[in-house]
Amino acid sequence: MENIDSLLKNFYFIVPANQRGYSWSYKEANSLYNDLNLIGDKSHYLGSITVSESESSVRCGYNTNHIYGYILEDGQQRVTTIMLMLKALKDKADDLGISHDNGIYQEITKCLFYYDNESDYPSSGKLKLQNKNPELQTYLKYLFLNIGYEPSSM
């Protein structure tokens, strides 16, 4: 069993195209947030996250090891919500002018992105949550990387 910090830093996740999109409402996200607030420094079981191995791996500039891609079979809503919370913390740190050299800032960033070269940090990271549905992947890039988003007309 791994903790969420270890999972997010050492792996990236691929959501298969057949998975539904992100569907948690404020109620579910707030419940997870409240659970995380209550635990503090203690351990807490967040539920199972089921993955299957992917053939993908990438070498990170900040890590001499490869990080491996795993197909996220179950737990997509929790993983996505935690990543959205971390992104909100990163954005708040940016708004407050916190240095990118700050240790906590770097830890949050390593959970969200990987970098081909250490010199790419923090400007050109690649998202650790990928979706095989092109429309959803475009939206994730918009949310996490601030890349423009034009919804298709379905």
Side-chain angles (χ1 to χ4, degrees), residues 56-70:
S56 305
S57 77
V58 292
R59 183 175 292 283
C60 291
Y62 62 79
N63 185 341
T64 56
N65 299 322
H66 283 81
I67 63 167
Y68 294 92
Y70 282 90

Side-chain angles (χ1 to χ4, degrees), residues 61-151:
Y62 62 79
N63 185 341
T64 56
N65 299 322
H66 283 81
I67 63 167
Y68 294 92
Y70 282 90
I71 299 167
L72 190 53
E73 305 290 351
D74 183 45
Q76 170 197 356
Q77 307 298 314
R78 275 171 284 144
V79 169
T80 302
T81 301
I82 289 168
M83 292 185 80
L84 287 168
M85 290 176 184
L86 289 170
K87 172 68 164 109
L89 288 172
K90 180 188 169 300
D91 289 350
K92 186 63 174 177
D94 287 338
D95 291 346
L96 294 171
I98 293 175
S99 169
H100 294 170
D101 294 328
N102 177 286
I104 293 172
Y105 186 93
Q106 289 180 352
E107 294 299 310
I108 290 170
T109 302
K110 287 177 184 178
C111 288
L112 296 171
F113 309 106
Y114 67 89
Y115 300 87
D116 293 330
N117 300 298
E118 202 164 339
S119 61
D120 292 341
Y121 175 82
S123 59
S124 52
K126 295 180 181 164
L127 187 57
K128 284 190 171 181
L129 180 63
Q130 300 173 15
N131 198 301
K132 290 297 183 179
N133 177 315
E135 180 82 10
L136 293 174
Q137 180 63 20
T138 300
Y139 191 62
L140 286 173
K141 286 182 178 180
Y142 166 74
L143 287 174
F144 287 94
L145 300 171
N146 303 317
I147 296 173
Y149 175 67
E150 292 289 329

Side-chain angles (χ1 to χ4, degrees), residues 18-42:
N18 65 339
Q19 288 260 355
R20 65 187 167 123
Y22 183 74
S23 63
W24 270 18
S25 68
Y26 174 83
K27 179 182 174 184
E28 291 91 2
N30 193 53
S31 177
L32 176 61
Y33 176 78
N34 288 335
D35 284 351
L36 294 172
N37 264 340
L38 289 173
I39 61 172
D41 291 340
K42 297 176 241 152

